[in-house]
Amino acid sequence: WRSPALGGVSAPLRLSGIPDTRGVSCSSAIGADGVAPALPEDVSDEADIEVRLFILQQQLKIRYRVAMNKGQEDVAKEMKRSIEELEGLIEERDGRWSLSMMDDLRRQLDDSIRNKGPERIRRNLFRKIEAIMNPQDRVEFKLGTKVIHTEKRYTGVVCGYHPGCRETDEWVETNNILKMPGVTARPFYMVLVDVRDVQSPVVTYVPENMLETIKLKDYRKFLPKDFLEEQNEKPPEVVHPFVYSLFYGQNSNGDYLPTDELMNRYGEVRR
């Protein structure tokens, strides 16, 4: 994808000055022994690109509004054209996956009906189709939920999700996804991982059954009492460079409040 308004930048990871932070060590993640923890295997290029494209989209909209307010018509036109190109790319990415998944599910449904398969299989297929059409109604963890990985024990915040896995076959194989019963039919979440738990700011892609919520009471189990007292009993924040682009701040539970634009992206309603 190339945009004249952005100087012909062609790679989404380099768009609009959003740094490619994957693999860049953070001093806050370096342990006492001077060694940074290894990157989790579930780091996802697909999830990383999706988050970056969304952030870029919001940045371009801000630049467009600034140009309009300043009467910079030529700049505003370039920004508008770039926004339209980017939105087309996002829609193409979303549509390509959804159509592929829907076609596969419909084929399975047709086969089940034609072969008079068990009713429970057809009901399950209908539920999967509904999940693709309305993913926000099927997810356990909403945008901004602070989570902890049940096995790798890193913490982070949910910044997006899909009704099923969108990653490549190679990624699925590397992460042993197919060995988890029924996992491919579960929602997958994009998680901004706290840089204190890994060696660089990354976005991981995690099936629903591998995540748990983490609240203030959970922090009390493994953080010194005087630390929380210094924080005025507020749970620690998630340290990640994308947090400030996607969320307004934290609520009393420590979960994050997604921006209106992020909520609109996933069809969520603020409660």
Side-chain angles (χ1 to χ4, degrees):
W1 177 73
R2 304 181 66 82
S3 171
L6 296 176
V9 178
S10 59
L13 299 184
R14 297 192 299 273
L15 290 175
S16 187
I18 303 174
D20 185 357
T21 51
R22 297 169 303 167
V24 179
S25 295
C26 296
S27 58
S28 59
I30 305 298
D33 56 0
V35 178
L39 285 175
E41 288 184 346
D42 49 4
V43 168
S44 166
D45 284 342
E46 173 65 30
D48 187 87
I49 290 172
E50 181 164 330
V51 174
R52 290 171 187 273
L53 288 177
F54 176 80
I55 293 174
L56 174 60
Q57 182 186 36
Q58 305 316 306
Q59 290 180 344
L60 289 175
K61 288 180 178 180
I62 292 173
R63 294 181 189 179
Y64 170 74
R65 291 194 293 269
V66 170
M68 289 293 290
N69 288 332
K70 291 184 175 181
Q72 300 171 339
E73 294 185 6
D74 290 342
V75 175
K77 287 180 181 177
E78 288 296 321
M79 290 298 104
K80 186 176 181 180
R81 182 159 65 248
S82 294
I83 291 169
E84 291 172 350
E85 291 177 9
L86 183 58
E87 289 177 343
L89 173 62
I90 292 172
E91 289 176 5
E92 179 186 349
R93 284 166 53 87
D94 289 345
R96 187 168 59 240
W97 180 86
S98 296
L99 285 174
S100 175
M101 180 65 79
M102 289 287 277
D103 286 345
D104 183 54
L105 290 173
R106 286 189 178 118
R107 280 195 297 270
Q108 293 181 50
L109 185 59
D110 289 341
D111 289 343
S112 179
I113 293 172
R114 185 169 53 254
N115 298 324
K116 298 181 179 180
E119 178 64 24
R120 61 179 177 78
I121 292 180
R122 289 197 292 275
R123 285 199 300 267
N124 189 41
L125 290 170
F126 275 121
R127 282 196 294 269
K128 291 179 182 179
I129 291 173
E130 290 174 358
I132 292 175
M133 298 177 66
N134 300 290
Q136 71 279 5
D137 297 333
R138 310 287 294 186
V139 296
E140 180 177 347
F141 307 109
K142 299 296 186 181
L143 296 169
T145 303
K146 286 184 69 173
V147 291
I148 184 167
H149 196 286
T150 58
E151 290 185 357
K152 298 169 185 174
R153 307 310 290 174
Y154 63 71
T155 59
V157 56
V158 172
C159 67
Y161 44 74
H162 299 138
C165 182
R166 287 194 187 185
E167 259 293 357
T168 63
D169 292 341
E170 180 181 1
W171 184 93
V172 168
E173 183 177 353
T174 298
N175 286 275
N176 296 316
I177 298 299
L178 296 179
K179 294 183 180 179
M180 305 177 190
V183 73
T184 53
R186 296 175 184 268
F188 272 68
Y189 296 83
M190 287 167 272
V191 177
L192 302 182
V193 180
D194 195 313
V195 299
R196 292 168 292 190
D197 293 337
V198 294
Q199 65 176 258
S200 67
V202 295
V203 182
T204 56
Y205 198 46
V206 192
E208 190 169 80
N209 63 317
M210 300 302 293
L211 293 174
E212 294 177 349
T213 58
I214 182 166
K215 305 294 185 185
L216 180 57
K217 61 181 177 60
D218 299 307
Y219 282 104
R220 291 195 183 101
K221 297 176 185 176
F222 55 85
L223 286 177
K225 186 173 183 249
D226 57 352
F227 178 87
L228 285 176
E229 287 176 350
E230 290 176 6
Q231 299 280 318
N232 294 319
E233 284 294 301
K234 292 181 181 178
E237 63 180 358
V238 171
V239 180
H240 191 288
F242 293 168
V243 164
Y244 303 108
S245 298
L246 300 173
F247 303 102
Y248 291 132
Q250 290 176 278
N251 62 20
S252 59
N253 238 343
D255 288 334
Y256 280 80
L257 303 171
T259 62
D260 293 340
E261 293 80 9
L262 186 61
M263 295 190 73
N264 290 338
R265 160 78 174 147
Y266 291 95
E268 287 194 11
V269 177
R270 201 175 300 283
R271 303 185 186 282

